[in-house]
Amino acid sequence: DDAILVADRVVVDHDTAICPATNLTLRLIVLEEEQRVHVHDTLLVMASEKSKVYTAKLASRGRTTHDNAVQAEQATQILTEFSQWLDTREGKPYTAIVDGANVAYFGWGKINVYQLSLMVTALEKHGEHPLVIMPQKYTRKKFYLRQGVTQFLSEKERALFD
């Protein structure tokens, strides 16, 4: 597999909208306030529905779960609170969002917090103020990565989350 991880800022051609790193044509979608609210509300509904499907799938495999409706409501509430926090927080605005679990997992088959740290550092060197989204389970000292695989993080690794 020739997959490589590239973290770089590029200048997208204003006339063609082609990204020089991926050769893909980008498009800008400008949302009016009413459309933004609609997207926000639709995402909350989708999160609730996906949570119900996921917990039902776990239950069908014999995994203990809370009631699907309760789980979905909790997921929706957490997402709502996160959205409100983003809207009301003070301080420097975030200019980049990093999917921490995928960046840390890419190419390793396990969570590599040093790779995530390198990504954040690279973004900061380019003047970005990144927000890292990372499931809480991956910040613990011990967590189950996948069936039959447990990962342990050292104190040094866990300190990188601060």
Side-chain angles (χ1 to χ4, degrees), residues 110-134:
K110 66 175 190 162
I111 298 297
N112 182 334
V113 294
Y114 297 107
Q115 179 162 280
L116 177 58
S117 179
L118 288 171
M119 174 63 79
V120 169
T121 300
L123 288 167
E124 290 172 341
K125 284 181 180 177
H126 286 290
E128 301 291 350
H129 182 63
L131 169 64
V132 176
I133 306 296
M134 178 69 107

mmCIF file of all heavy atoms in Angstrom, residues 110-134:
data_model
loop_
_atom_site.group_PDB
_atom_site.id
_atom_site.type_symbol
_atom_site.label_atom_id
_atom_site.label_comp_id
_atom_site.label_asym_id
_atom_site.label_seq_id
_atom_site.Cartn_x
_atom_site.Cartn_y
_atom_site.Cartn_z
ATOM 1 N N LYS A 110 -3.290 0.952 14.988
ATOM 2 C CA LYS A 110 -3.505 1.270 16.399
ATOM 3 C C LYS A 110 -3.494 2.790 16.529
ATOM 4 O O LYS A 110 -3.183 3.497 15.576
ATOM 5 C CB LYS A 110 -2.423 0.653 17.282
ATOM 6 C CG LYS A 110 -1.044 1.241 17.049
ATOM 7 C CD LYS A 110 -0.031 0.691 18.011
ATOM 8 C CE LYS A 110 1.268 1.485 17.904
ATOM 9 N NZ LYS A 110 2.116 1.310 19.051
ATOM 10 N N ILE A 111 -3.849 3.278 17.686
ATOM 11 C CA ILE A 111 -3.835 4.718 17.914
ATOM 12 C C ILE A 111 -2.397 5.163 18.186
ATOM 13 O O ILE A 111 -1.754 4.690 19.118
ATOM 14 C CB ILE A 111 -4.752 5.100 19.105
ATOM 15 C CG1 ILE A 111 -6.204 4.729 18.800
ATOM 16 C CG2 ILE A 111 -4.619 6.576 19.462
ATOM 17 C CD1 ILE A 111 -6.817 5.456 17.617
ATOM 18 N N ASN A 112 -1.906 6.059 17.347
ATOM 19 C CA ASN A 112 -0.558 6.603 17.484
ATOM 20 C C ASN A 112 -0.702 8.095 17.789
ATOM 21 O O ASN A 112 -0.867 8.906 16.874
ATOM 22 C CB ASN A 112 0.239 6.368 16.197
ATOM 23 C CG ASN A 112 1.661 6.866 16.291
ATOM 24 O OD1 ASN A 112 1.965 7.777 17.055
ATOM 25 N ND2 ASN A 112 2.538 6.279 15.503
ATOM 26 N N VAL A 113 -0.633 8.431 19.079
ATOM 27 C CA VAL A 113 -0.855 9.826 19.469
ATOM 28 C C VAL A 113 0.272 10.736 19.003
ATOM 29 O O VAL A 113 0.068 11.939 18.834
ATOM 30 C CB VAL A 113 -1.093 9.978 20.993
ATOM 31 C CG1 VAL A 113 -2.387 9.298 21.396
ATOM 32 C CG2 VAL A 113 0.062 9.436 21.792
ATOM 33 N N TYR A 114 1.441 10.174 18.750
ATOM 34 C CA TYR A 114 2.542 10.993 18.241
ATOM 35 C C TYR A 114 2.236 11.471 16.822
ATOM 36 O O TYR A 114 2.545 12.604 16.456
ATOM 37 C CB TYR A 114 3.870 10.218 18.283
ATOM 38 C CG TYR A 114 4.270 9.870 19.691
ATOM 39 C CD1 TYR A 114 4.184 8.568 20.158
ATOM 40 C CD2 TYR A 114 4.692 10.862 20.578
ATOM 41 C CE1 TYR A 114 4.537 8.251 21.464
ATOM 42 C CE2 TYR A 114 5.047 10.557 21.879
ATOM 43 C CZ TYR A 114 4.965 9.251 22.321
ATOM 44 O OH TYR A 114 5.298 8.954 23.621
ATOM 45 N N GLN A 115 1.614 10.609 16.014
ATOM 46 C CA GLN A 115 1.223 11.013 14.666
ATOM 47 C C GLN A 115 0.192 12.136 14.728
ATOM 48 O O GLN A 115 0.259 13.102 13.969
ATOM 49 C CB GLN A 115 0.657 9.806 13.905
ATOM 50 C CG GLN A 115 0.216 10.147 12.498
ATOM 51 C CD GLN A 115 0.089 8.914 11.652
ATOM 52 O OE1 GLN A 115 1.095 8.402 11.169
ATOM 53 N NE2 GLN A 115 -1.136 8.440 11.465
ATOM 54 N N LEU A 116 -0.756 12.025 15.657
ATOM 55 C CA LEU A 116 -1.754 13.080 15.835
ATOM 56 C C LEU A 116 -1.081 14.382 16.260
ATOM 57 O O LEU A 116 -1.390 15.458 15.738
ATOM 58 C CB LEU A 116 -2.796 12.653 16.871
ATOM 59 C CG LEU A 116 -3.869 13.665 17.229
ATOM 60 C CD1 LEU A 116 -4.660 14.105 16.007
ATOM 61 C CD2 LEU A 116 -4.792 13.082 18.287
ATOM 62 N N SER A 117 -0.142 14.291 17.176
ATOM 63 C CA SER A 117 0.588 15.468 17.635
ATOM 64 C C SER A 117 1.359 16.123 16.487
ATOM 65 O O SER A 117 1.389 17.357 16.371
ATOM 66 C CB SER A 117 1.549 15.078 18.758
ATOM 67 O OG SER A 117 2.277 16.196 19.202
ATOM 68 N N LEU A 118 1.961 15.311 15.630
ATOM 69 C CA LEU A 118 2.684 15.851 14.470
ATOM 70 C C LEU A 118 1.737 16.592 13.526
ATOM 71 O O LEU A 118 2.096 17.632 12.969
ATOM 72 C CB LEU A 118 3.405 14.730 13.725
ATOM 73 C CG LEU A 118 4.627 14.139 14.416
ATOM 74 C CD1 LEU A 118 5.114 12.888 13.679
ATOM 75 C CD2 LEU A 118 5.744 15.169 14.529
ATOM 76 N N MET A 119 0.519 16.063 13.345
ATOM 77 C CA MET A 119 -0.467 16.718 12.486
ATOM 78 C C MET A 119 -0.844 18.081 13.065
ATOM 79 O O MET A 119 -0.886 19.081 12.342
ATOM 80 C CB MET A 119 -1.710 15.845 12.323
ATOM 81 C CG MET A 119 -2.832 16.521 11.557
ATOM 82 S SD MET A 119 -2.427 16.936 9.854
ATOM 83 C CE MET A 119 -2.629 15.339 9.106
ATOM 84 N N VAL A 120 -1.100 18.127 14.362
ATOM 85 C CA VAL A 120 -1.473 19.387 15.010
ATOM 86 C C VAL A 120 -0.341 20.398 14.884
ATOM 87 O O VAL A 120 -0.554 21.561 14.544
ATOM 88 C CB VAL A 120 -1.864 19.158 16.486
ATOM 89 C CG1 VAL A 120 -1.997 20.477 17.238
ATOM 90 C CG2 VAL A 120 -3.158 18.352 16.567
ATOM 91 N N THR A 121 0.876 19.951 15.119
ATOM 92 C CA THR A 121 2.045 20.829 15.007
ATOM 93 C C THR A 121 2.190 21.357 13.580
ATOM 94 O O THR A 121 2.465 22.543 13.369
ATOM 95 C CB THR A 121 3.325 20.090 15.443
ATOM 96 O OG1 THR A 121 3.164 19.687 16.808
ATOM 97 C CG2 THR A 121 4.553 20.970 15.309
ATOM 98 N N ALA A 122 1.998 20.483 12.595
ATOM 99 C CA ALA A 122 2.103 20.907 11.187
ATOM 100 C C ALA A 122 1.052 21.969 10.874
ATOM 101 O O ALA A 122 1.357 22.969 10.211
ATOM 102 C CB ALA A 122 1.938 19.703 10.263
ATOM 103 N N LEU A 123 -0.164 21.769 11.343
ATOM 104 C CA LEU A 123 -1.217 22.763 11.109
ATOM 105 C C LEU A 123 -0.882 24.088 11.791
ATOM 106 O O LEU A 123 -1.068 25.163 11.204
ATOM 107 C CB LEU A 123 -2.565 22.230 11.599
ATOM 108 C CG LEU A 123 -3.178 21.123 10.737
ATOM 109 C CD1 LEU A 123 -4.335 20.460 11.466
ATOM 110 C CD2 LEU A 123 -3.631 21.675 9.399
ATOM 111 N N GLU A 124 -0.394 24.018 13.012
ATOM 112 C CA GLU A 124 -0.035 25.239 13.740
ATOM 113 C C GLU A 124 1.100 25.994 13.044
ATOM 114 O O GLU A 124 1.095 27.220 13.013
ATOM 115 C CB GLU A 124 0.328 24.904 15.187
ATOM 116 C CG GLU A 124 -0.871 24.480 16.009
ATOM 117 C CD GLU A 124 -0.529 23.957 17.391
ATOM 118 O OE1 GLU A 124 0.640 23.568 17.633
ATOM 119 O OE2 GLU A 124 -1.436 23.928 18.237
ATOM 120 N N LYS A 125 2.051 25.263 12.481
ATOM 121 C CA LYS A 125 3.141 25.903 11.747
ATOM 122 C C LYS A 125 2.635 26.654 10.523
ATOM 123 O O LYS A 125 3.275 27.574 10.046
ATOM 124 C CB LYS A 125 4.193 24.870 11.330
ATOM 125 C CG LYS A 125 5.086 24.427 12.464
ATOM 126 C CD LYS A 125 6.129 23.435 12.000
ATOM 127 C CE LYS A 125 7.011 23.013 13.163
ATOM 128 N NZ LYS A 125 7.988 21.988 12.768
ATOM 129 N N HIS A 126 1.477 26.241 10.020
ATOM 130 C CA HIS A 126 0.859 26.911 8.878
ATOM 131 C C HIS A 126 -0.125 27.987 9.323
ATOM 132 O O HIS A 126 -0.903 28.494 8.511
ATOM 133 C CB HIS A 126 0.142 25.901 7.985
ATOM 134 C CG HIS A 126 1.068 25.058 7.183
ATOM 135 N ND1 HIS A 126 1.817 25.545 6.138
ATOM 136 C CD2 HIS A 126 1.386 23.744 7.277
ATOM 137 C CE1 HIS A 126 2.546 24.569 5.623
ATOM 138 N NE2 HIS A 126 2.311 23.477 6.292
ATOM 139 N N GLY A 127 -0.086 28.325 10.625
ATOM 140 C CA GLY A 127 -0.933 29.395 11.131
ATOM 141 C C GLY A 127 -2.347 28.984 11.480
ATOM 142 O O GLY A 127 -3.195 29.843 11.748
ATOM 143 N N GLU A 128 -2.616 27.695 11.484
ATOM 144 C CA GLU A 128 -3.956 27.216 11.825
ATOM 145 C C GLU A 128 -4.112 27.089 13.338
ATOM 146 O O GLU A 128 -3.138 26.963 14.068
ATOM 147 C CB GLU A 128 -4.232 25.856 11.169
ATOM 148 C CG GLU A 128 -4.137 25.853 9.665
ATOM 149 C CD GLU A 128 -5.236 26.633 8.965
ATOM 150 O OE1 GLU A 128 -6.218 27.038 9.625
ATOM 151 O OE2 GLU A 128 -5.121 26.846 7.756
ATOM 152 N N HIS A 129 -5.361 27.143 13.772
ATOM 153 C CA HIS A 129 -5.718 26.897 15.175
ATOM 154 C C HIS A 129 -6.670 25.700 15.170
ATOM 155 O O HIS A 129 -7.878 25.859 15.042
ATOM 156 C CB HIS A 129 -6.381 28.145 15.783
ATOM 157 C CG HIS A 129 -6.723 27.982 17.226
ATOM 158 N ND1 HIS A 129 -5.786 27.774 18.200
ATOM 159 C CD2 HIS A 129 -7.922 27.998 17.857
ATOM 160 C CE1 HIS A 129 -6.382 27.670 19.370
ATOM 161 N NE2 HIS A 129 -7.682 27.789 19.187
ATOM 162 N N PRO A 130 -6.091 24.464 15.261
ATOM 163 C CA PRO A 130 -6.916 23.273 15.074
ATOM 164 C C PRO A 130 -7.713 22.861 16.306
ATOM 165 O O PRO A 130 -7.271 23.024 17.440
ATOM 166 C CB PRO A 130 -5.896 22.186 14.721
ATOM 167 C CG PRO A 130 -4.627 22.637 15.358
ATOM 168 C CD PRO A 130 -4.671 24.146 15.373
ATOM 169 N N LEU A 131 -8.881 22.315 16.033
ATOM 170 C CA LEU A 131 -9.718 21.666 17.041
ATOM 171 C C LEU A 131 -9.623 20.180 16.747
ATOM 172 O O LEU A 131 -9.938 19.742 15.641
ATOM 173 C CB LEU A 131 -11.172 22.132 16.929
ATOM 174 C CG LEU A 131 -12.202 21.353 17.748
ATOM 175 C CD1 LEU A 131 -11.928 21.512 19.243
ATOM 176 C CD2 LEU A 131 -13.607 21.812 17.408
ATOM 177 N N VAL A 132 -9.152 19.418 17.725
ATOM 178 C CA VAL A 132 -9.037 17.972 17.553
ATOM 179 C C VAL A 132 -10.261 17.312 18.177
ATOM 180 O O VAL A 132 -10.565 17.534 19.341
ATOM 181 C CB VAL A 132 -7.749 17.424 18.207
ATOM 182 C CG1 VAL A 132 -7.691 15.908 18.096
ATOM 183 C CG2 VAL A 132 -6.512 18.062 17.590
ATOM 184 N N ILE A 133 -10.947 16.529 17.369
ATOM 185 C CA ILE A 133 -12.091 15.758 17.845
ATOM 186 C C ILE A 133 -11.596 14.328 18.045
ATOM 187 O O ILE A 133 -11.123 13.691 17.103
ATOM 188 C CB ILE A 133 -13.255 15.770 16.818
ATOM 189 C CG1 ILE A 133 -13.639 17.191 16.429
ATOM 190 C CG2 ILE A 133 -14.433 14.975 17.335
ATOM 191 C CD1 ILE A 133 -14.197 18.027 17.545
ATOM 192 N N MET A 134 -11.693 13.845 19.281
ATOM 193 C CA MET A 134 -11.188 12.505 19.597
ATOM 194 C C MET A 134 -12.160 11.826 20.554
ATOM 195 O O MET A 134 -12.487 12.389 21.602
ATOM 196 C CB MET A 134 -9.807 12.621 20.261
ATOM 197 C CG MET A 134 -9.204 11.297 20.664
ATOM 198 S SD MET A 134 -8.745 10.291 19.265
ATOM 199 C CE MET A 134 -6.989 10.407 19.299
#
